[in-house]
Amino acid sequence: MAENPFEHSEKIWVLDGAMGTMLMKKGLDVNYAPELLNIREPEILKEIHREYVEAGADIIETNTFGSNRIKLSHYGLEDKVEELTAAGVKLAKEVAGDRALVALSVGPTGVFVEPVGDYSFDELVDVFKEQIKAGAEAGADLILIETMSDTKEAKAAVVAAQEVCDLPVIVSMTYQADGRTLLGTPPEVSAAIFEGFGVAAIGANCSLGPESFVDLIRRTAEITDTPIIVYANAGLPVLKDGKTYYPEPPETFKKYAVEFVKAGANIIGGCCGTTPEHIKAIKEAVKDLKPVKRNPIKGLKVASRTELVVVGTGYPTRIIGERINPTGKKKLQEALKKGDFSLVKEEAKKQVEEGADILDVNVGVPGIDEAEAMEKAVKTVIETVNVPIMIDSKDPEAIERALKMCDGKPIVNSCSGEEKDIKSILPLVKKYGANVLALGIDDEGLKEKAEDRVAVIDKIINECQKIGIPKDFVIADVLNLAASAMQEATTETLKAIRMIKEKHNVATTLGVSNVSFGLPARPLINSAFMAMAIEAGLDSGIVNPGDSRMVETIYASDVLTGKDRGAVRYVEKFQNYKQKQKAEDKECRELLRKICQVSCAFLEGKKVSIDVEGEKKAEEKVSKDKEEDGAPPGILGEIFKKVIEGDREGITKPTEEALKEFEPMEISDKALIPALDVIGQKFEKGEIFLPQMLRSAQAVQSAFEILKKEIKRRGGDVKAGGKIVMATVHGDVHEIGKNIVITMLENSGFEVIDLGTNVPPEKIIETAKKENADVVGLSALMTTTLPAMEETIKKMREAGLNIPVIVGGAVVTPDYAEKIGGYYGEDAQEAVKIVRELLGISN
């Protein structure tokens, strides 16, 4: 890897500003592939680069934001990736000379990676490799992966970059007003993920005005000491005199540039709406400033797409759920052999409900394809819960496939001191930016003495550091031996934990239940040992989160060892402990009474009638009380629940069962649509994020397919709530937002005609008239295509087409929508609400 120019730099670097804004100012038509201008208008491109360099930019970006084959395919230019990318780099290099670095701009593809979307991780790696290889060979100095909403797509781009070149890589995500990406990732998680890849800088750009970026920088700086990049829009776009412009002047950026530096930024520039004047103002503001000294948190950072868990000294003892492991579990073994992952899903959900912070995922069953099973198990878990995972396997292929599928930053469990592990597992940990569990065993076998176990951990940590895996990415497991066989070895385990903490201060963990193997009343031994291990320095335990004695011991031990300051977590967990205990005692006494009643009757030769039906009804009542608000009774409630859970496979059976009792549209109106409404409310409140909402929509779609077939079999027709024509406006090839809205509309009973992307006004008008559409939906992501949205509505009205138009997209605002005569749909759920209101359908 080439040297990171920002890592020890004592200056604040200045990035250039917007490209699209400048192209429009130069009078160029940007309603086609902007990258084509690299060969059609090279002199104007060089002029823009030159203006930014003269304004003081230390780094200029190439005009290659969308020069990947997926984006270019919308214009029929997919075979021009290398030509357009190389041309963009060469233009920038010619201008930059030795005055500025040239960053290859690598934007998103516009598609989602599985399990959210249909593209595999490997497919996107190949797409990015083609673009990045061309840019690197043309002479780029840096790779700037920018404006990313999906950390998994960004990970694919980083992997691609590090496979084809050794240039420094920068990653910049784009956040919404709630401080999360479109897929729900906060900056803390992004920082943890990309720190794992050793990137040159991490940060944020686009979407928001400068005032919103200060907090994003602070939150990133708290997690990592990696340099931070930030380049905001010049406010939110507004419409004036029929033209779109960004309101924030250069003076605003001059003011906020200082605030950005104070918050921890190392590289500052401008995004949409900024010009050389903005960059000049930034340069003036930061020319005498130096990066602030940061003191980010220490510890093992484990992350899912939406949550960050830190394991280590000073943090609560983390619970790593152990139950997704087929060892000794015949039902799970048989299910995995059949390719049935329903038990994996159930265990994942249950363990998180019981308090697991991280889930260990193991599918080691003899005779199955472990790599395939691990990939499917990881997919199942990340679709079901939001906590981070630990990939538990020794099979390199299984580990790699799991790492590609996994969101966030997982732990790989495990790498021993054996040479085969060091050579096959550690390179995968490095390549995919993961954490690793270092196991205190090597080729010579299990070590009894603490010093010998620690020596193995020393070796693994040294091997990690040789290939660039920092010590903070390691969690040590010194192994836990059975007290029934070697009581002395148990004492050595505690000693080894202390030694690891004193020598390396890395995070520690243990498979706690091993200590009680072969002994009766194992929970007693396990919980007592856990308390001792926490005092010795244990940071996490691979345990059963459903073991109340173990969980109680962990929370109590954290109070007594000072890991739970002010006993805050303990009080929150057990403030209703007495009431719960009384209820459990009452249940136990009632159960004992019934057992005694049956036993006595049996001994006396009498019959005793137990009110099984009454108890069943009581259980059903309790179960019903726990159902989601608004859930209908019976089989419809099951369908409702499957939508809430996003279970697109599990919804099939109850839907088919319900058809024996209910009309198809009755199932839709009483179960599917109400459940989608609940999901929409949860999304609006920030309780769930886009992936969960999409999975629920997909579950509804699965049920609708069954209902449609049944309606057709009965000779009927599906009654749509209305007909909507959807399109991304002319010049814009982004379709993620549009497709999400279409999914929600279709699953809410509307018929949607999707015209795709880059659609001229004439085609939209023609289709809307031909199909007798009730509503038109328009999407735009780029500022350069906002005028096309206004033009489309204007031409619709001129053609006498006066139906309502809903507009949306990252750059669209309520004010803009109102001025051009459209209804503003902030997100997919809001768009559905608006359509219902416009068509007089009750919400």
Side-chain angles (χ1 to χ4, degrees):
M1 177 67 69
E3 183 180 351
N4 179 359
F6 316 114
E7 189 171 13
H8 301 295
S9 176
E10 285 297 302
K11 78 171 187 177
I12 302 299
W13 293 70
V14 176
L15 179 70
D16 65 6
M19 176 58 73
T21 299
M22 292 300 293
L23 291 172
M24 290 173 67
K25 286 188 72 173
K26 300 292 182 183
L28 295 179
D29 178 12
V30 292
N31 287 332
Y32 197 61
E35 293 75 21
L36 200 57
L37 297 172
N38 293 339
I39 56 177
R40 288 185 174 175
E41 299 287 353
E43 293 306 315
I44 294 181
L45 263 298
K46 286 195 289 185
E47 184 180 320
I48 293 170
H49 288 316
R50 191 174 299 111
E51 289 178 24
Y52 277 125
V53 172
E54 290 172 355
D58 302 302
I59 307 165
I60 58 173
E61 295 184 58
T62 58
N63 182 39
T64 57
F65 182 81
S67 66
N68 62 73
R69 81 172 81 116
I70 294 176
K71 279 285 185 68
L72 291 176
S73 68
H74 293 284
Y75 305 105
L77 298 172
E78 58 270 29
D79 59 340
K80 300 289 185 182
V81 172
E82 184 176 346
E83 179 185 1
L84 297 179
T85 302
V89 173
K90 288 173 182 176
L91 291 175
K93 288 291 288 184
E94 187 177 335
V95 172
D98 58 2
R99 295 185 296 171
L101 298 177
V102 171
L104 177 73
S105 172
V106 178
T109 58
V111 300
F112 282 134
V113 197
E114 61 181 350
V116 180
D118 298 324
Y119 279 76
S120 72
F121 188 86
D122 284 338
E123 284 174 325
L124 282 198
V125 169
D126 285 342
V127 167
F128 285 121
K129 280 171 72 172
E130 183 180 19
Q131 179 187 11
I132 294 170
K133 185 173 184 290
E137 290 178 350
D141 301 302
L142 308 166
I143 309 299
L144 176 54
I145 298 164
E146 60 175 337
T147 325
M148 290 284 176
S149 295
D150 182 358
T151 52
K152 198 166 180 182
E153 181 181 19
K155 284 167 70 173
V158 174
V159 169
Q162 295 181 342
E163 283 188 2
V164 299
C165 70
D166 66 351
L167 297 176
V169 177
I170 300 172
V171 176
S172 181
M173 304 299 296
T174 185
Y175 296 92
Q176 302 177 112
D178 63 357
R180 291 178 180 267
T181 69
L182 180 65
L183 295 188
T185 304
E188 294 88 349
V189 168
S190 297
I193 291 172
F194 296 108
E195 178 186 61
F197 286 92
V199 298
I202 300 167
N205 74 291
C206 205
S207 294
L208 306 168
E211 71 284 350
S212 301
F213 280 78
V214 178
D215 185 55
L216 295 175
I217 299 168
R218 287 195 187 117
R219 291 165 65 182
T220 303
E222 288 172 358
I223 301 300
T224 182
D225 55 10
T226 302
I228 296 174
I229 184 170
V230 56
Y231 45 122
N233 288 351
L236 297 176
V238 295
L239 188 67
K240 185 176 181 180
D241 299 327
K243 294 183 179 180
T244 305
Y245 82 104
Y246 284 80
E248 296 296 348
E251 290 74 23
T252 301
F253 278 73
K254 185 173 185 179
K255 169 189 169 184
Y256 275 102
V258 177
E259 295 301 314
F260 293 164
V261 173
K262 289 179 181 177
N266 304 76
I267 308 165
I268 303 172
C271 203
C272 302
T274 58
T275 65
E277 287 72 28
H278 291 82
I279 302 310
K280 185 176 181 180
I282 293 171
K283 186 74 171 183
E284 180 64 25
V286 304
K287 64 180 180 181
D288 297 322
L289 299 181
K290 294 183 178 181
V292 297
K293 301 296 180 184
R294 285 190 256 153
N295 185 30
I297 63 172
K298 300 296 180 184
L300 184 89
K301 297 153 195 167
V302 196
S304 64
R305 185 190 294 276
T306 58
E307 294 183 13
L308 175 67
V309 175
V310 183
V311 186
T313 304
Y315 293 94
T317 303
R318 304 303 187 183
I319 296 173
I320 303 176
E322 68 179 2
R323 295 207 305 261
I324 304 176
N325 187 324
T327 305
K329 300 183 181 73
K330 289 185 178 180
K331 284 186 178 180
L332 183 55
Q333 289 176 12
E334 290 304 312
L336 291 174
K337 286 179 181 178
K338 295 175 183 176
D340 178 4
F341 292 86
S342 59
L343 287 179
V344 170
K345 183 173 186 174
E346 289 174 19
E347 281 294 358
K349 187 177 179 182
K350 189 174 181 184
Q351 287 185 95
V352 171
E353 289 172 350
E354 291 166 344
D357 301 295
I358 300 166
L359 293 183
D360 185 81
V361 181
N362 184 310
V363 294
V365 177
I368 69 169
D369 183 336
E370 185 178 350
E372 182 179 354
M374 178 62 84
E375 182 179 47
K376 289 180 179 178
V378 167
K379 181 180 179 182
T380 299
V381 172
I382 65 176
E383 285 186 323
T384 304
V385 296
N386 288 327
V387 302
I389 68 168
M390 184 155 76
I391 300 162
D392 191 349
S393 176
K394 285 289 190 180
D395 181 346
E397 184 186 353
I399 292 170
E400 184 162 24
R401 286 176 68 169
L403 286 168
K404 290 175 182 178
M405 178 57 66
C406 184
D407 289 328
K409 185 182 183 184
I411 304 170
V412 172
N413 177 14
S414 59
C415 178
S416 71
E418 298 176 26
E419 287 303 313
K420 64 178 180 64
D421 279 5
I422 287 170
K423 290 179 180 177
S424 64
I425 294 175
L426 289 186
L428 293 176
V429 172
K430 170 63 177 174
K431 180 177 180 178
Y432 295 100
N435 300 297
V436 63
L437 188 149
L439 202 60
I441 187 173
D442 61 13
D443 295 291
E444 296 177 359
L446 200 60
K447 314 291 183 181
E448 186 173 337
K449 293 295 182 183
E451 291 81 3
D452 295 331
R453 297 187 220 175
V454 173
V456 177
I457 302 296
D458 290 343
K459 175 185 176 182
I460 298 169
I461 289 175
N462 288 336
E463 293 294 337
C464 284
Q465 293 181 316
K466 282 181 185 177
I467 64 172
I469 300 173
K471 189 186 289 188
D472 265 2
F473 294 10
V474 177
I475 181 168
D477 183 344
V478 296
L479 289 173
N480 192 15
L481 307 182
S484 59
M486 293 181 285
Q487 282 180 273
E488 297 81 4
T490 302
T491 306
E492 291 295 310
T493 298
L494 298 174
K495 180 181 176 182
I497 293 171
R498 291 190 178 94
M499 290 177 66
I500 288 292
K501 278 297 179 184
E502 290 170 4
K503 190 169 187 179
H504 297 294
N505 196 29
V506 297
T508 56
T509 194
L510 280 176
V512 178
S513 61
N514 293 341
V515 73
S516 64
F517 183 78
L519 293 171
R522 293 183 66 182
L524 299 178
I525 297 289
N526 294 342
S527 58
F529 179 76
M530 188 70 186
M532 298 168 70
I534 290 172
E535 192 281 326
L538 189 69
D539 298 308
S540 63
I542 306 172
V543 300
N544 177 4
D547 181 347
S548 59
R549 187 186 296 272
M550 176 64 76
V551 173
E552 289 164 1
T553 298
I554 290 171
Y555 276 80
S557 297
D558 278 3
V559 172
L560 299 176
T561 56
K563 297 179 81 172
D564 181 3
R565 293 292 177 186
V568 174
R569 293 178 78 244
Y570 181 85
V571 171
E572 183 180 348
K573 181 79 174 177
F574 299 114
Q575 57 186 343
N576 297 318
Y577 186 70
K578 284 186 178 180
Q579 293 91 321
K580 182 182 177 183
Q581 196 172 46
K582 285 179 181 178
E584 289 175 350
D585 288 346
K586 184 178 179 181
E587 288 176 10
C588 288
R589 287 196 299 271
E590 183 62 19
L591 180 60
L592 284 170
R593 183 188 67 77
K594 290 176 181 176
I595 291 172
C596 290
Q597 187 181 11
V598 173
S599 300
C600 290
F602 177 78
L603 291 172
E604 295 174 10
K606 298 178 181 178
K607 291 184 178 180
V608 176
S609 176
I610 302 295
D611 186 9
V612 176
E613 192 62 32
E615 290 186 19
K616 184 179 178 182
K617 288 180 179 177
E619 288 176 4
E620 287 177 352
K621 183 180 184 302
V622 171
S623 176
K624 186 178 178 182
D625 289 342
K626 292 180 179 179
E627 285 181 356
E628 293 281 349
D629 290 340
I635 194 70
L636 295 180
E638 289 185 36
I639 296 171
F640 185 99
K641 183 180 178 183
K642 295 299 182 183
V643 175
I644 299 298
E645 293 176 349
D647 189 349
R648 52 184 180 268
E649 291 86 17
I651 201 169
T652 301
K653 186 176 179 181
T655 303
E656 291 172 343
E657 286 293 316
L659 282 170
K660 298 175 184 177
E661 187 178 347
F662 299 95
E663 290 296 317
M665 293 314 296
E666 193 176 3
I667 295 170
S668 172
D669 293 341
K670 292 184 177 180
L672 299 177
I673 302 304
L676 266 186
D677 287 340
V678 171
I679 284 296
Q681 291 162 15
K682 288 177 177 286
F683 181 73
E684 288 175 356
K685 293 175 183 176
E687 296 174 7
I688 63 168
F689 304 102
L690 184 59
Q692 292 99 317
M693 188 172 77
L694 285 177
R695 284 198 292 274
S696 291
Q698 288 162 358
V700 171
Q701 196 167 22
S702 296
F704 262 132
E705 289 306 313
I706 296 170
L707 300 185
K708 287 176 184 176
K709 287 179 182 177
E710 180 62 18
I711 292 171
K712 188 175 181 181
R713 189 187 70 80
R714 297 181 185 185
D717 190 18
V718 178
K719 295 179 181 179
K723 190 178 288 187
I724 298 98
V725 170
M726 291 288 298
T728 300
V729 297
H730 185 52
D732 201 320
V733 296
H734 298 86
E735 59 182 340
I736 286 179
K738 172 181 67 66
N739 292 346
I740 293 168
V741 173
I742 289 171
T743 299
M744 295 300 290
L745 284 169
E746 287 180 336
N747 293 334
S748 296
F750 296 101
E751 182 181 351
V752 181
I753 296 120
D754 180 13
L755 297 181
T757 63
N758 190 27
V759 185
E762 293 75 16
K763 185 174 182 181
I764 294 170
I765 294 167
E766 178 188 348
T767 306
K769 285 184 175 181
K770 180 182 176 182
E771 298 292 340
N772 196 25
D774 298 292
V775 179
V776 166
L778 301 177
S779 175
L781 185 71
M782 302 187 299
T783 56
T784 55
T785 57
L786 277 176
M789 185 174 278
E790 180 185 7
E791 180 189 7
T792 299
I793 295 176
K794 183 180 178 182
K795 287 189 175 182
M796 284 177 62
R797 303 308 180 225
E798 290 173 352
L801 193 60
N802 294 314
I803 61 175
V805 180
I806 300 176
V807 297
V811 294
V812 182
T813 64
D815 287 344
Y816 181 80
E818 184 179 354
K819 287 178 180 177
I820 65 174
Y823 294 87
Y824 175 63
E826 183 179 12
D827 53 43
Q829 189 63 25
E830 183 66 20
V832 173
K833 281 185 180 178
I834 293 171
V835 172
R836 285 180 177 176
E837 289 171 3
L838 289 171
L839 301 185
I841 300 171
S842 177
N843 279 308

